[in-house]
Amino acid sequence: MSIQKRLVGSYFVVILITVAILEFLLIVLVNYYYFHNVERILINQAELSASFFHQYAADEDVEKQSERLLNGFSHNSAAQVQIISSNGQLLQDSTGLPTGERMNEYPDVQEACSGEIGIWKGKEPTTKEAVLAVSYPLQTNHTTVGVVRFVTSLTETAKTVNQVSAIFIAVGLFVIAIVAVLGIVLSRTITSSITELKSAAEKMAEGDFSVRANKRYEDELGALADTLNTMAAKILQNEQLKNDFISSVSHELRTPLTSIKGWVVTLSATEEDDQNMVKDGLEIIETETDRLTRLVDELLDFAKLDNGRIALWLTPVHLQGLLRHIGKQLAPRAARLRISLEVHADDSLPVIHADENRLKQVLINLIDNSLKFTGPQGSIKVYAHSELHQVIITVEDTGSGIDEQDLANVFQKFYKGNIHTAGSGLGLAISDQIIKLHHGQLKISSKVGIGTIVEMYLPQ
């Protein structure tokens, strides 16, 4: 069963039950109002008649004055009036019924003869017409000497009640019809949005992420449409990032592989006595192979970092020893490139808890970038100091620098911009993630043609 049918059905059932309950209560109240009103009128007339008898005729015989009483009691009443003796015999009747008839079979007469007000609703035996009868005792000195009985037909009252009930029922059916139509219209406003969302989701499931869900209203379905559209946009963005990533990785891999293949071909055609050519070719092949290995390691590291599968091995780290060791390790390369590499490590630096191997990886990467993009006769300075419960390690170079517009993107993987880190691949992105795992921060400031300063903030 569709959502629309369930919505309309549920809505219709609720309204039907509600209208039925209201109709029932209204009809009951109408019945009570009309019939109770007739009953109260008869009781009031009977009480007035009994009061008149008690004040003006209590000393006379009821049978003798029955005709006068009948004329007085029936003068202001449209109901049938009967004067009955204390033993239940009909003395007078305003409709001309013969006198002498026994009225004891009527329950209201029996109660009135015993001194109580009698009320009876039923069908007249002769005419089979629904009537209401009220009998009131006529008393002298607390003794019942007769009964005055008022009888009225309920045919017109029942007809009026039925007419009013029919009007209520017709109005109820009209309300149900209107509500049913409105339920269908309102349900379509919901199901149409759901249908459009379903259609958009199916297209997205088939791979078409350019489609967008139509947002009709600012409600839960509208929020769902926004979520679907945001998801599609992010998937498109991730697809683009994936394609850019594959393109960048392909480029990074192709360059050293092309160089290696070229030198392999060159060496294959080189004469045996050309040892210098062989030596240069093997050095280049070794360098490019190391570059490939480093790129693969960076890819593996970044995949682990991106999936949260790298756990730090925290140990006490003496920064001055770590910095001096890295300086000695990279000094030969700096000397070969005719770059001044200075490492200043104050013995007063505090011991911090960190993953020494990962910090070493970050520092080597930062200094390696500086070596790549600093020309001969340039300088690189590495120094550290502590302040405000944190240690700041700085790598400062006099290299080519980074354009201001590219500074905000240097930590993106394989970011292609006019920056001195172009071609460094994942190094800065991995370094940034490692420092964040240490609850620290990397900051870069740079000016084109002047140099770059990278600051590493680590908590003590």
Side-chain angles (χ1 to χ4, degrees), residues 73-344:
F73 295 162
S74 62
H75 180 70
N76 295 319
S77 176
Q80 177 185 2
V81 182
Q82 296 176 331
I83 306 298
I84 304 170
S85 66
S86 60
N87 58 6
Q89 182 181 0
L90 179 62
L91 300 177
Q92 294 291 333
D93 184 277
S94 62
T95 61
L97 287 178
T99 60
E101 183 179 351
R102 305 298 296 182
M103 305 293 291
N104 299 84
E105 71 269 17
Y106 294 104
D108 59 303
V109 175
Q110 295 176 8
E111 292 183 16
C113 290
S114 63
E116 302 293 334
I117 299 175
I119 300 172
W120 173 72
K121 184 187 296 182
K123 289 186 178 182
E124 185 66 34
T126 56
T127 62
K128 304 299 182 184
E129 183 181 12
V131 296
L132 174 66
V134 174
S135 297
Y136 207 95
L138 301 176
Q139 294 182 335
T140 301
N141 297 325
H142 303 290
T143 301
T144 301
V145 296
V147 173
V148 59
R149 186 173 190 243
F150 287 81
V151 183
T152 186
S153 173
L154 296 178
T155 301
E156 290 299 323
T157 303
K159 183 179 179 180
T160 302
V161 169
N162 290 337
Q163 289 176 347
V164 174
S165 300
I167 293 173
F168 284 154
I169 293 172
V171 171
L173 293 175
F174 179 73
V175 170
I176 291 174
I178 293 296
V179 168
V181 173
L182 290 176
I184 293 173
V185 173
L186 291 176
S187 66
R188 284 180 178 175
T189 63
I190 298 174
T191 55
S192 59
S193 298
I194 295 175
T195 302
E196 291 177 357
L197 290 175
K198 178 176 175 290
S199 176
E202 287 175 347
K203 291 180 180 179
M204 291 178 187
E206 293 172 357
D208 183 8
F209 297 108
S210 62
V211 69
R212 291 294 180 268
N214 184 27
K215 182 179 179 180
R216 289 174 174 263
Y217 308 103
E218 294 291 340
D219 55 7
E220 289 81 359
L221 292 177
L224 180 58
D226 287 338
T227 301
L228 280 176
N229 293 335
T230 301
M231 180 190 70
K234 286 188 176 294
I235 290 176
L236 282 177
Q237 183 181 6
N238 290 335
E239 284 289 320
Q240 185 62 42
L241 290 174
K242 182 194 72 175
N243 293 334
D244 293 343
F245 180 80
I246 293 174
S247 175
S248 299
V249 170
S250 300
H251 173 76
E252 294 288 338
L253 292 174
R254 186 183 298 111
T255 302
L257 287 174
T258 301
S259 179
I260 291 172
K261 182 178 180 180
W263 274 103
V264 168
V265 173
T266 300
L267 292 177
S268 298
T270 301
E271 297 180 0
E272 294 182 0
D273 57 349
D274 194 352
Q275 293 298 320
N276 290 331
M277 178 69 74
V278 172
K279 182 178 180 182
D280 291 341
L282 290 176
E283 287 181 355
I284 292 175
I285 290 174
E286 181 182 7
T287 301
E288 295 301 319
T289 302
D290 291 340
R291 182 178 170 188
L292 282 173
T293 301
R294 186 167 60 253
L295 179 59
V296 172
D297 289 340
E298 287 180 348
L299 286 171
L300 292 174
D301 278 347
F302 192 82
K304 291 179 181 178
L305 283 166
D306 208 34
N307 294 326
R309 291 187 287 113
I310 282 188
L312 299 180
W313 184 260
L314 300 179
T315 59
V317 177
H318 298 270
L319 288 176
Q320 57 269 41
L322 175 63
L323 293 175
R324 288 168 184 169
H325 174 75
I326 293 174
K328 290 179 182 179
Q329 180 179 341
L330 297 177
R333 180 182 173 189
R336 187 169 64 251
L337 296 173
R338 292 182 294 166
I339 298 173
S340 171
L341 175 61
E342 301 178 16
V343 177
H344 301 283

Side-chain angles (χ1 to χ4, degrees), residues 21 23 49 69 82 163 188 228 287 300 313 359 366 427 450 455:
I21 293 174
E23 291 283 343
S49 299
L69 291 175
Q82 296 176 331
Q163 289 176 347
R188 284 180 178 175
L228 280 176
T287 301
L300 292 174
W313 184 260
L359 286 185
L366 296 178
I450 296 178
E455 293 179 311

